[in-house]
Amino acid sequence: MSLVSVDSDPVFAGAGKKSGLDIWCIEDLRLVPVARSSYGKFYSGSAYVVLNTTLHKSGSFHYEIHYWLGTDANKEDLEAASNKALELDHFLGSCAVQYREVQGQETELFLSYFKPCIIPLEGPYSSNSGLLRGEGYHVSLFACKGEHAIRVKEVPFARSSLNHDDVFILDTASKIFLFSGCNSSIQERAKALEVVQFIKDNRHNGKCEVATLEDGKLVGHSDVGEFWSFFGGYTPISRNSESAFDKPNTGLSTRMYRISIRGELFEVGTENLDLEMLKSDQCYLLDSDNDIFVWMGRSMSMTERKTAISAAEGFLGKEGRSGKSRVTLLTEGLETAKFRSFFVNWPEKRETKLYEEGREKVAAMFKRHGYDVKELPEEDCNPTINSRGTLKVFLVNDRNTSLMQVPEPIKLYSEHCYLVQYTYSVDGKDEALLYAWFGSDSSPEDSAEAISCTIALADLSRGSSTLAQVFQENEPEQFFQILRTVIINTGSTEKKNAAVEGIYDSNSDEESKALFRVQGRSLSSMQAVQVDPVSRMLNSSYCFILHTGSVVWSWIGTSSSARDHEILDRIIEIMNPLWQSVSVREGSEPDIFWEVLGGKAEYAKEKEFKQGIEDPHLFKTTLTEGDLKVEEIYNFTQGDLTTEDVLVLSCPQEVYVWVGFHSSTTVKDTAFNLGQKFLKMDVLAEGLNPKMPIYVVTEGHEPTFFTRFFSWDPSKAKMHGNSFERKLAILKGNPQFLEVHTRSSRTATSRSTTPDSLRSTPTSSNGHAETRKNFSNLSPSMTPSRQRLFSSPIATVTRLSPCSSPQNGCHDSTVSQPKSNERINATNEVTEDTLVCSITYSYERLNTVAEDPVFDIDVTRREAYLSGEEFQEKFGMRRGEFYGLPKWRRDKLKKSLHLF
């Protein structure tokens, strides 16, 4: 590092030593610490430096530095804040990303530190004043925007400030009014209620009335007149009224400039930027309209960095964008995913591979490679779900699905797909976990059938199922914990090679051979995976079984553990109790061993350790006509699981698609597809494995292996109504009226399901009626294989405990076959909402004026005999959406189509 040495400001002593925030303010051109009791209170006449320190699971600290500029701060304070942020970065070892934050245009990352919001105070900050100044109460009008990180902006107290797009809060001495623009979303209104609570607690000591009003429905209640009296009486809001917040630019252009040592800018590229353009002894400015990035090479001095930052400020001033654009300062090697996305050849971020010389030597190994970390503890082998559940396994082969017996061990084949249904108890209620497992050589048709049958099983499981799709060689540990002992063979049930057959029935074919990699976390979760019988498939971190017609070899890798050796012995015993294996340690193999494997070749002697980003990330998703857009939610909490949304929780080893209770049916039907699109996008440029396991979790039935990523409050997960109604109930202090929502509810309207005492007066929260639907719409008629699947006797294996024998828990049960003209809903009730006929007819024969009408049908529900495709064509909606409409409207639509 060739930065010019600078003496660090003593105020930075102890900064970055523990997780959390540190905040300083510029006062008299000096940096002074802000009392923790005042964190989140920013004065518009001052400039601040904010450090956020995060301790990652890997044990390393991660830093973000923000310097916040109030709209009324003087130029000297702004410059001082910028310099002190750069000085703080140097103090921390130049390993932080710096963000320039402008009042009213803060990044969502910055806003996420101060929940629920930031409401800047007037005037400059004073460290001598222990209390807020300006205690004289005055009426204030605030505009709110945002569904997760909300921006709050005080606007002129005038009727002209109101518009149809934003949510407004009118704060008066005795009452707080929430006014929701007709174009605002339910999520924005719900988030604004958190701001109302914040104002009530901080400006009214928690003692204040709250009234909610809705744009366009402003008659018939005293609160309406009281609200408009503050504006001199009611006047309609202009249709052309503009939002109080600037809209982001949509037609983005990209330009990159080199910044000279004198602060001059020279354009060096536009679109399709190349990584080779960036030189370690230079600084660059990348302009993408909404965002400005200043990239500083590792060999740049402190003086040169200050010059580059001043040049960026001058560029913004010249362009008239000082208060609109966000500036991110990056040091070489710390580039954000968004910055990297502008370059066509930026290499993917890959995990560091390091050699492991046994568990007890991990710490020493890391230190040799420059990682100052402590020895890693043994991984937790405890299952994340109840291990006393029941197990069913189905084989999907040639688009036919059949129930398997569940022996010990369970044998899977790479050319097939399988369904694994595990039912377990949580607080006295049954929950189901459904896996669709895709063999590495399985057909796309079988994969599609496996997903379809998984969704069908979910519809029969009372709506309490968590779904997952997993690919061979990418299985999550939990999958193996459920199956316990698994042997994965190549080929299919019809095509077994002689060596594999010999493993199970003692055949001896001198020419055949099979190689298995042995793995697992304990004797209750172990696997043998067949691989190509060649030496390049060996790996020092594992044990292997090499079986020929006459000899069984057990090969022990030098980096394998004592636990691996124990699992190896147990797997050999399970495969064939008559075997007497020849034990061979890595490095002492006889020549005959290598001859069996076709000769000695190079193989992996390194084991991967995951470094870098390990913490989960939460994203809000929007899927429109197949186009997926995502927006990260920073510093997320359980409260960010908004019932109207579909969110993706991206973890190191798996991805969860969380489906809100009030989210759209279209997204629910395509949840797995959404997860696959997310993996393909690789938003954080982490090199995500496209075959990573994908879980689909529904609101109200979150499993423990999902909730462990949150500070989970079960009572919040049981709240009823849309997000606005839930927040309003809490604000009014009536949480006892919030009912547990269940998957059996066929309607979930914002009005009819909310108690009168919680309804927003004088109007509703704009929560339109919405039908509660199954997780996925199945086709009206089941395939023959699926009928057999649901009508066959079901053999189950009861898992008593991690160490119990499966044979001790076997029993038979049955699943009844659905009636031919009915489909069972999430609670096994049959309602008008779920009636679907297995026999379909064309619309031409079903309508009341048909020339060749159909007889022997229920004429009160002719629409139920339409195919799914023709139903949507005629009605312009899915069945679930149709049955969610009021009966009078359904009848009206049926009359218009001559189906009534």
Side-chain angles (χ1 to χ4, degrees), residues 280-332:
S280 296
D281 59 349
Q282 299 287 340
C283 288
Y284 299 87
L285 184 149
L286 192 151
D287 177 18
S288 66
D289 287 342
N290 291 320
D291 294 280
I292 300 290
F293 298 89
V294 177
W295 185 92
M296 297 171 286
R298 276 284 176 184
S299 60
M300 300 301 294
S301 68
M302 181 68 76
T303 301
E304 290 171 324
R305 294 180 180 222
K306 288 183 177 180
T307 299
I309 295 173
S310 297
E313 291 287 351
F315 174 80
L316 292 176
K318 183 179 179 181
E319 297 274 325
R321 294 156 53 189
S322 295
K324 297 181 179 180
S325 296
R326 300 169 182 170
V327 179
T328 303
L329 310 178
L330 304 167
T331 298
E332 181 181 2

Side-chain angles (χ1 to χ4, degrees), residues 37-38 41-43 121 129-136 202-203:
S37 59
S38 296
K41 301 171 183 176
F42 292 86
Y43 285 88
L121 305 168
S129 174
L131 301 174
L132 296 180
R133 299 185 310 283
E135 295 177 357
N202 287 275
R203 300 186 68 175

Side-chain angles (χ1 to χ4, degrees), residues 479-496:
F479 177 80
F480 288 132
Q481 288 177 345
I482 289 171
L483 296 182
R484 299 188 180 271
T485 302
V486 183
I487 298 178
I488 302 177
N489 301 300
T490 59
S492 67
T493 54
E494 298 87 1
K495 298 181 293 184
K496 302 175 183 176

Side-chain angles (χ1 to χ4, degrees), residues 758-782:
L758 296 185
R759 290 184 188 166
S760 171
T761 56
T763 64
S764 76
S765 62
N766 196 32
H768 58 276
E770 181 180 337
T771 301
R772 182 72 201 114
K773 310 169 184 71
N774 284 335
F775 172 76
S776 176
N777 292 327
L778 303 179
S779 59
S781 58
M782 290 186 179

Side-chain angles (χ1 to χ4, degrees), residues 611-624:
Q611 297 291 322
I613 298 178
E614 292 186 0
D615 298 276
H617 296 260
L618 186 66
F619 297 87
K620 177 184 175 181
T621 67
T622 304
L623 188 61
T624 306

Side-chain angles (χ1 to χ4, degrees), residues 400-600:
N400 290 314
T401 304
S402 58
L403 177 68
M404 295 173 53
Q405 294 298 319
V406 186
E408 178 83 12
I410 295 174
K411 293 184 283 291
L412 308 178
Y413 287 85
S414 64
E415 292 187 13
H416 300 318
C417 295
Y418 295 84
L419 307 183
V420 175
Q421 182 181 31
Y422 184 71
T423 306
Y424 59 100
S425 177
V426 178
D427 297 329
K429 298 180 181 179
D430 283 345
E431 298 284 345
L433 177 55
L434 298 171
Y435 281 102
W437 183 86
F438 305 142
S440 58
D441 301 317
S442 61
S443 67
E445 293 78 12
D446 281 352
S447 298
E449 179 68 11
I451 289 293
S452 179
C453 288
T454 301
I455 296 174
L457 283 172
D459 278 348
L460 295 176
S461 65
R462 301 179 182 269
S464 58
S465 298
T466 295
L467 283 69
Q469 68 172 34
V470 298
F471 293 86
Q472 183 179 345
E473 293 290 342
N474 293 277
E475 299 91 347
E477 179 57 34
Q478 186 168 255
F479 177 80
F480 288 132
Q481 288 177 345
I482 289 171
L483 296 182
R484 299 188 180 271
T485 302
V486 183
I487 298 178
I488 302 177
N489 301 300
T490 59
S492 67
T493 54
E494 298 87 1
K495 298 181 293 184
K496 302 175 183 176
N497 64 54
V500 173
E501 283 288 279
I503 289 174
Y504 308 123
D505 58 18
S506 301
N507 287 343
S508 57
D509 185 339
E510 296 290 339
E511 301 298 325
S512 62
K513 56 185 176 182
L515 181 65
F516 290 85
R517 183 182 70 245
V518 177
Q519 60 192 41
R521 298 181 68 176
S522 68
L523 291 179
S524 61
S525 176
M526 51 188 181
Q527 308 86 45
V529 182
Q530 187 178 4
V531 297
D532 293 339
V534 292
S535 56
R536 61 180 173 81
M537 299 304 298
L538 298 176
N539 188 306
S540 297
S541 298
Y542 296 95
C543 296
F544 287 78
I545 298 172
L546 175 60
H547 173 264
T548 67
S550 56
V551 182
V552 176
W553 307 82
S554 57
W555 184 86
I556 300 174
T558 56
S559 295
S560 60
S561 65
R563 179 188 62 196
D564 297 329
H565 306 161
E566 188 178 11
I567 292 174
L568 172 66
D569 293 339
R570 180 60 182 147
I571 286 288
I572 291 176
E573 181 183 352
I574 289 174
M575 282 184 164
N576 195 320
L578 302 178
W579 276 354
Q580 294 294 325
S581 66
V582 178
S583 180
V584 177
R585 289 192 172 272
E586 181 180 3
S588 60
E589 303 89 347
D591 292 340
I592 186 63
F593 177 83
W594 296 116
E595 290 177 9
V596 173
L597 293 176
K600 190 173 183 179

